[in-house]
Amino acid sequence: MSDPTAPRGLTRRPVLGSIAAAAAGLVSRPAGSQTMSPAAAAPDLILTNGRFTTLDRANPDPEAVAITDGRFSAVGSARDIMPSAGPGTRIVDLGGRRCVPGLIDSHMHIIRGGLNYNLELRWDGAPSLADAMAMLKRQAQVTPPGQWVRVVGGFTEHQFAERRLPTLDELNAAAPDTPVFILHLYDRALLNRAALRAVGYDRATPNPPGGEIQRDGNGDPTGLLLAKPNALILYATLARGPALPPEQQLNSTRHFMREMNRLGVTGVIDAGGGFQNYPDDYAIIEKLHADGELTLRIAYNLFTQKKGEELSDFGRWAGIVKPGQGDDTFRHNGAGEMLVFSAADFEDFREPRPELGPEMEGELEAVVRLLVENRWPWRLHATYDETVTRALDVFERVNRDMPIGDLHWFFDHCETISARNIDRVAALGGGIAVQHRMAYQGEAFVERYGGKAAEATPPVARMLAAGVKVGAGTDATRVASYNPWVSLAWLVTGRTVGGLTLYPQENRLGREEALRLWTDANTWFSTEEGKKGRIAVGQLADLAVLSADYLSVPEAEISGIEAVLTLLGGRPVYGAGAFAGLAPPPLPVLPDWSPVKTFGGYRRHASGPFRAEPAEAVLASAACGCGTACGVHGHAHASAWASAAPAGDARTFWGVFGCACWAV
């Protein structure tokens, strides 16, 4: 049987010369073709027989694409483009596959995440807690003394068939001697006894401000850490774990970038992060850039690190680096997402909305005035409408003295932003970067605020209707997964990874509109409009050839899409199947006990995370009250529904027993 990813034709010839850059003019061709000047050199690469979604409204459905010197040099009919091939032109037949512009994540923590990627066991996409715990137990057996097993975000209990997190007893049984740290969103962390010993938490350890160390009847820590409501205790505890040495951090970052390339991502706007100091913690990414080893285009924001010293941080950095400094693969992008600690409203929907202190406006205004004076763009984390209201009061006051409309400033998140505040953002020329955090936290939001309140969280369609610049991202890796296709599925379906429908049709997006938020629209957030984000002549040749047709697959299959070929500036950075030979070979994994070596990254499974749980399973779960573990089988209803046993009717055969344990 033939490989469906196999290119049907591949030729290679020596390159004759280089293209004149963007100064070369467009030449009109039949059938909507666009090419560079006829005097341009033969292309380096021609892609043909693909279904191209260009997101260029003037040229939406071409037959072939040519790339020269890292940019698209012709997009149009095969009749026009194929004769331009020279002796050195590589021609790749895509076999009818869908091809889209390279995806861009407008909010991610790629730099911090890269330093730790090889240390982390990913439960992203794992379909059951049983699978996840089997992974953890296996990893604990190979993790050497002194190192931890870490599961750091990217999953939710609601994605598991069992609909729960592991118990502390289960963690201790799976890893009696190896420290285990599990971060669940920003609401809690689970530590086994070995991890409590490693971090030094005992009955004498006080609760930090805004956090709780849960204790037993004797006052000893149980291993459960709660954010109440801020996540400092979770950050600080994770920071006590051992770090990789620099040479392994280089390897780790390269693996994380390759994982993103596997998913079709070619660009990221890095939102900084806690415990990510500039310039010290940027040495690894700077070296990879200097060595030409970046396989993503990265624009980075600077995140203040010290409460009470925010103005000093940004004043110092303004003397070191300027927005736009760098090149097309690594460039500075301004301030945020933390501008002042007093404005941080952590999004733990299990807890009441945090009240920000009265000092917030004064501290934020001082920093924003400094940024505007230095012409720095900024981004600001704001989950709740109440935070947005107070921040906009500051921005409007500054704008009266120093206009901010041209600075590409924006809010991040905005799950509960009101229509009035959307209009205020539009009037000030700002933007909103949204992430699929509700795909992971929607159940908690509904439990606290109700389903009606969740119907527009965030109100993406209303933002777009108001003319606000809107871009999409993930907020990976400590909350939602870095997988862009999970975000795209959320935008299109309105469902959580646990299958809960949050949004009515009017707050969902069409597939092409959602894709635009992940490509062309995101270029505004890094001040790079017209440079990338579309398959259009003169733009950087970043694209992804997909494993399935995003525009036509069933909704449940969107989240399972990945790339079979990813190009960055026309250079293959990832290839799979018969396209694997076009891209660099896989890297070795360091250290050799890394979870990445055994398990890789995002977990692929047949149904994808956007499954709808059978109503019968929900009824059976409620009937036997099995939110906790069964002493024999853990009340694994999902196993029963998937088995060949006659468990389909909870009210008859298995329903008599109150649960489906007998079918496991």
Side-chain angles (χ1 to χ4, degrees), residues 22-107:
L26 292 177
V27 176
S28 295
R29 298 287 187 185
S33 298
Q34 294 180 343
T35 68
M36 301 296 281
S37 162
D44 303 319
L45 176 67
I46 292 176
L47 304 177
T48 186
N49 192 26
R51 285 176 286 179
F52 297 93
T53 299
T54 66
L55 298 181
D56 179 359
R57 292 184 173 94
N59 189 19
D61 191 27
E63 298 174 334
V65 167
I67 297 169
T68 311
D69 278 1
R71 294 181 182 268
F72 296 114
S73 52
V75 179
S77 71
R79 183 185 65 181
D80 289 337
I81 291 174
M82 294 304 291
S84 70
T89 301
R90 169 179 276 167
I91 300 172
V92 178
D93 186 320
L94 299 182
R97 290 199 175 275
R98 177 67 59 188
C99 184
V100 300
L103 303 181
I104 303 167
D105 191 328
S106 61
H107 184 130

Side-chain angles (χ1 to χ4, degrees), residues 344-588:
D345 65 347
F346 289 98
E347 74 295 345
D348 182 359
F349 298 131
R350 293 177 184 268
E351 295 291 324
R353 177 181 62 82
E355 292 290 344
L356 304 183
E359 73 279 8
M360 179 270 218
E361 282 85 351
E363 293 179 355
L364 181 61
E365 183 170 343
V367 168
V368 170
R369 285 188 179 276
L370 174 70
L371 296 175
V372 176
E373 288 168 358
N374 286 278
R375 310 310 296 165
W376 272 45
W378 71 85
R379 62 193 309 160
L380 180 65
H381 168 112
T383 299
Y384 298 98
D385 188 55
E386 291 81 355
T387 307
V388 174
T389 296
R390 293 176 63 178
L392 283 171
D393 291 343
V394 171
F395 299 167
E396 288 170 346
R397 190 156 55 243
V398 172
N399 184 65
R400 286 194 288 269
D401 299 329
M402 299 180 289
I404 65 174
D406 63 340
L407 280 182
H408 292 240
W409 66 270
F410 58 97
F411 286 108
D412 283 301
H413 316 313
C414 291
E415 276 83 3
T416 70
I417 190 171
S418 63
R420 176 177 178 270
N421 279 339
I422 291 171
D423 291 339
R424 293 173 73 191
V425 173
L428 286 172
I432 301 173
V434 299
Q435 300 79 36
H436 65 308
R437 304 190 311 178
M438 286 292 288
Y440 292 82
Q441 298 173 284
E443 286 85 355
F445 188 97
V446 169
E447 183 177 349
R448 176 167 292 278
Y449 298 108
K452 186 66 177 177
E455 288 184 354
T457 52
V460 178
R462 175 65 174 81
M463 296 172 185
L464 291 168
V468 172
K469 300 292 186 181
V470 181
T474 61
D475 200 11
T477 57
R478 295 183 177 179
V479 179
S481 174
Y482 52 72
N483 189 336
W485 300 102
V486 178
S487 169
L488 283 157
W490 165 75
L491 288 166
V492 169
T493 69
R495 291 200 295 270
T496 70
V497 296
L500 175 66
T501 298
L502 294 174
Y503 311 138
Q505 189 62 47
E506 58 266 26
N507 198 41
R508 304 177 202 171
L509 301 184
R511 298 194 192 196
E512 186 167 314
E513 188 174 29
L515 180 63
R516 193 176 295 277
L517 295 194
W518 264 94
T519 51
D520 190 30
N522 269 343
T523 63
W524 182 88
F525 294 82
S526 58
T527 321
E528 295 178 286
E529 307 102 303
K531 181 181 288 186
K532 59 184 182 181
R534 289 177 284 140
I535 299 176
V537 170
Q539 291 210 6
L540 294 166
D542 304 341
L543 59 79
V545 182
L546 304 182
S547 60
D549 190 346
Y550 164 69
L551 294 181
S552 64
V553 296
E555 287 184 348
E557 297 178 18
I558 293 174
S559 60
I561 293 173
E562 55 192 67
V564 295
L565 178 65
T566 303
L567 303 184
L568 185 77
R571 174 172 61 98
V573 291
Y574 177 79
F579 294 107
L582 302 178
L587 300 164

Side-chain angles (χ1 to χ4, degrees), residues 1 14 20 41 101 173 201 313 360 425-426 465 541 617 621 630 647 650:
M1 186 172 179
Y201 290 172
D313 273 347
M360 179 270 218
V425 173
S621 179
C630 167

Side-chain angles (χ1 to χ4, degrees), residues 31-367:
S33 298
Q34 294 180 343
T35 68
M36 301 296 281
S37 162
D44 303 319
L45 176 67
I46 292 176
L47 304 177
T48 186
N49 192 26
R51 285 176 286 179
F52 297 93
T53 299
T54 66
L55 298 181
D56 179 359
R57 292 184 173 94
N59 189 19
D61 191 27
E63 298 174 334
V65 167
I67 297 169
T68 311
D69 278 1
R71 294 181 182 268
F72 296 114
S73 52
V75 179
S77 71
R79 183 185 65 181
D80 289 337
I81 291 174
M82 294 304 291
S84 70
T89 301
R90 169 179 276 167
I91 300 172
V92 178
D93 186 320
L94 299 182
R97 290 199 175 275
R98 177 67 59 188
C99 184
V100 300
L103 303 181
I104 303 167
D105 191 328
S106 61
H107 184 130
M108 190 183 175
H109 301 273
I110 188 80
I111 297 173
R112 181 183 66 190
L115 301 179
N116 301 291
Y117 180 72
N118 282 6
L119 286 175
E120 295 174 359
L121 177 68
R122 305 306 306 178
W123 281 358
D124 304 42
S128 72
L129 179 60
D131 287 339
M133 289 299 291
M135 295 165 65
L136 186 146
K137 183 175 182 178
R138 182 176 175 187
Q139 183 58 39
Q141 293 169 347
V142 301
T143 299
Q147 292 289 345
W148 297 8
V149 176
R150 308 175 217 211
V151 180
V152 185
F155 78 99
T156 170
E157 62 187 301
H158 299 288
Q159 79 190 41
F160 295 144
E162 300 88 343
R163 303 291 182 170
R164 68 176 180 89
L165 294 172
T167 67
L168 294 170
D169 286 343
E170 287 169 333
L171 286 187
N172 287 313
D177 303 311
T178 304
V180 172
F181 176 98
I182 298 175
L183 177 68
H184 180 255
L185 308 174
Y186 272 152
D187 64 39
R188 66 194 56 211
L190 305 176
L191 283 69
N192 68 350
R193 283 189 289 267
L196 287 173
R197 291 192 297 269
V199 299
Y201 290 172
D202 57 28
R203 67 177 61 184
T205 305
N207 285 336
E212 178 184 330
I213 302 172
Q214 189 187 70
R215 302 169 195 275
D216 63 18
N218 297 320
D220 293 313
T222 64
L224 176 62
L225 308 181
L226 297 173
K228 284 184 167 289
N230 73 60
L232 181 60
I233 187 174
L234 312 181
Y235 281 137
T237 304
L238 179 59
R240 293 172 181 248
L244 292 172
E247 66 274 12
Q248 294 183 4
Q249 289 180 336
L250 288 165
N251 181 270
S252 177
T253 301
R254 292 184 69 190
H255 272 282
F256 194 14
M257 290 191 296
R258 184 179 177 87
E259 170 75 348
M260 299 310 301
N261 298 151
R262 179 177 73 84
L263 296 168
V265 177
T266 57
V268 166
I269 307 176
D270 184 90
F275 297 91
Q276 186 176 335
N277 292 283
Y278 184 81
D280 297 355
D281 294 327
Y282 289 71
I284 295 298
I285 202 73
E286 291 273 13
K287 177 170 174 51
L288 290 171
H289 174 238
D291 293 345
E293 293 182 336
L294 294 184
T295 61
L296 294 171
R297 302 189 192 278
I298 300 174
Y300 63 94
N301 286 74
L302 295 182
F303 181 116
T304 187
Q305 296 294 311
K306 298 177 183 176
K307 182 175 175 56
E309 298 183 26
E310 298 96 332
L311 191 62
S312 175
D313 273 347
F314 290 115
R316 183 174 68 259
W317 293 335
I320 298 174
V321 63
K322 297 185 182 303
Q325 183 173 317
D327 58 28
D328 289 338
T329 55
F330 189 66
R331 64 199 304 272
H332 177 50
N333 197 52
E337 63 180 298
M338 181 80 82
L339 297 182
V340 292
F341 279 77
S342 56
D345 65 347
F346 289 98
E347 74 295 345
D348 182 359
F349 298 131
R350 293 177 184 268
E351 295 291 324
R353 177 181 62 82
E355 292 290 344
L356 304 183
E359 73 279 8
M360 179 270 218
E361 282 85 351
E363 293 179 355
L364 181 61
E365 183 170 343
V367 168

Side-chain angles (χ1 to χ4, degrees), residues 596-663:
V596 172
K597 186 171 185 177
T598 305
F599 302 106
Y602 190 90
R603 173 77 177 271
R604 293 189 290 260
H605 53 94
S607 62
F610 282 80
R611 64 195 183 284
E613 186 179 27
E616 295 89 348
V618 177
L619 289 171
S621 179
C624 69
C626 68
T628 57
C630 167
V632 181
H633 298 118
H635 288 203
H637 298 282
S639 298
W641 301 117
S643 76
D649 189 347
R651 294 169 298 180
T652 57
F653 188 79
W654 303 118
V656 170
F657 298 101
C659 74
C661 287
W662 302 97

